[in-house]
């Protein structure tokens, strides 16, 4: 599977999002990872669909929207209208309606994805593997950038990858949190192909080189 790098603009200057997404595109990013936090599912508040809509004219890259919100079902339409390309919902946010929410995202013409927290078992992602376009595994507790990668995530990536192989579904597997140039190889070997990186990309003195090296 092609390796894609999805820099998270959470680590960037919040006063310059337009310029930042342009910069990421020029420097070889594959996706723009948008961390939407509602102050409820996770303590911080970042931005919502209106901001995502404002990013759209600045880039042709896919807008990869990671919704850390308590009631994702109520938000899907507004992110589709904002021309998000991928919408990811947390399994923990609404376990009962996970499949329904993924189906709704697909019906809106957007790629559908589900995500689990580090404390959630890999098996909870299995039902999503059957219908989603992508699945995401958090390798830090969501809410903040700049945390340390949780190594136990590697086994979970393998479990999800093996399950997808058994299903015969070649879907994207994204990993988010604490990814560096040192640990990215392990993440990719475990089976992930979409790499989110916030601080690693934005703290780099040479963004293009860092993005290229993360891709391996
Ligand atoms: C955490 C976010 C991540 C975060 C990653 O809640 O979902 O996308 O920005 O940042 P780093 O790469 O710094 O861990
Ligand atoms: Zn994220």
């Amino acid at each position: 599977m092609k390796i894609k790098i999805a820099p998270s603009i959470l680590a960037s200057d919040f006063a310059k999002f337009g310029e930042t997404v342009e910069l990421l595109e020029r420097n070889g990013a594959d996706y723009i990872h948008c961390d939407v936090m509602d102050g409820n599912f996770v303590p911080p508040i970042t931005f919502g669909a209106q901001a995502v809509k404002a990013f759209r004219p600045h880039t042709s890259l896919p807008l990869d929207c990671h919704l850390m919100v308590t009631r994702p079902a109520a938000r899907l339409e507004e992110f589709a209208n904002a021309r998000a390309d991928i919408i990811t919902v947390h399994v923990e946010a609404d376990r009962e309606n996970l499949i329904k929410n993924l189906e709704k995202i697909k019906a809106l013409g957007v790629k559908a994805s589900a995500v689990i927290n580090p404390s959630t078992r890999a098996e909870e992602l299995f039902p999503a593997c059957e219908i989603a376009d992508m699945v995401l595994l958090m390798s830090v507790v969501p809410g903040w950038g700049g945390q340390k990668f949780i190594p136990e995530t590697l086994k979970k990536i393998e479990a999800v990858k093996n399950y997808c192989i058994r299903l015969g579904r070649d879907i994207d597997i994204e990993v988010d949190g604490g990814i560096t140039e040192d640990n990215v190889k392990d993440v990719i070997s475990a089976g992930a192909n979409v790499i989110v990186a916030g601080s690693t990309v934005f703290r780099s003195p040479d963004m293009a080189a860092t993005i290229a090296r993360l891709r391996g």
Side-chain angles (χ1 to χ4, degrees):
M1 279 278 253
K2 189 178 175 281
I3 306 299
K4 294 168 203 154
I5 308 301
S8 163
I9 56 171
L10 182 66
S12 74
D13 182 343
F14 271 41
K16 295 184 179 165
F17 283 142
E19 288 162 53
T20 299
V21 297
E22 289 172 11
L23 181 71
L24 289 170
E25 184 162 0
R26 282 202 303 278
N27 283 286
D30 297 289
Y31 291 168
I32 305 293
H33 186 81
C34 304
D35 284 309
V36 174
M37 304 187 188
D38 69 350
N40 197 358
F41 184 75
V42 288
I45 297 176
T46 53
F47 52 79
Q50 269 181 287
V52 170
K53 188 176 183 178
F55 305 159
R56 186 72 286 170
H58 292 274
T59 181
S60 56
L61 293 180
L63 296 170
D64 169 26
C65 298
H66 173 194
L67 303 194
M68 287 162 271
V69 306
T70 32
R71 292 177 56 244
R75 301 282 170 199
L76 303 178
E77 247 165 308
E78 57 185 280
F79 279 90
N81 291 339
R83 298 186 47 209
D85 295 276
I86 306 167
I87 298 178
T88 300
V89 292
H90 266 270
V91 170
E92 302 84 2
D94 189 0
R95 279 188 167 80
E96 278 163 41
N97 295 305
L98 176 65
I99 299 301
K100 215 167 115 188
N101 287 338
L102 292 172
E103 280 166 351
K104 185 169 174 192
I105 296 168
K106 288 172 85 159
L108 289 164
V110 178
K111 287 194 172 155
S113 161
V115 49
I116 52 169
N117 281 336
S119 58
T120 302
R121 292 161 53 244
E123 288 71 19
E124 289 215 42
L125 214 42
F126 288 0
C129 293
E130 311 214 3
I131 71 150
D133 298 289
M134 181 171 88
V135 287
L136 167 58
L137 292 100
M138 290 306 301
S139 40
V140 299
V141 175
W144 303 271
Q147 303 179 73
K148 237 174 90 65
F149 181 83
I150 299 172
E152 286 73 25
T153 315
L154 294 173
K155 281 207 171 60
K156 293 168 69 179
I157 301 168
E158 279 172 20
V160 169
K161 178 70 183 176
N162 288 334
Y163 187 75
C164 290
I165 290 171
R166 283 206 296 280
L167 286 176
R169 294 207 77 232
D170 202 13
I171 61 173
D172 285 326
I173 299 181
E174 184 175 51
V175 179
D176 183 4
I179 298 185
T180 63
E181 288 185 38
D182 293 325
N183 62 27
V184 69
K185 278 182 191 60
D186 297 336
V187 172
I188 293 171
S189 311
N193 71 303
V194 184
I195 306 298
V196 177
S199 10
T200 294
V201 167
F202 285 97
R203 281 186 201 152
S204 163
D206 184 347
M207 196 181 265
T210 298
I211 290 174
R213 281 198 296 269
L214 281 171
R215 201 178 281 112

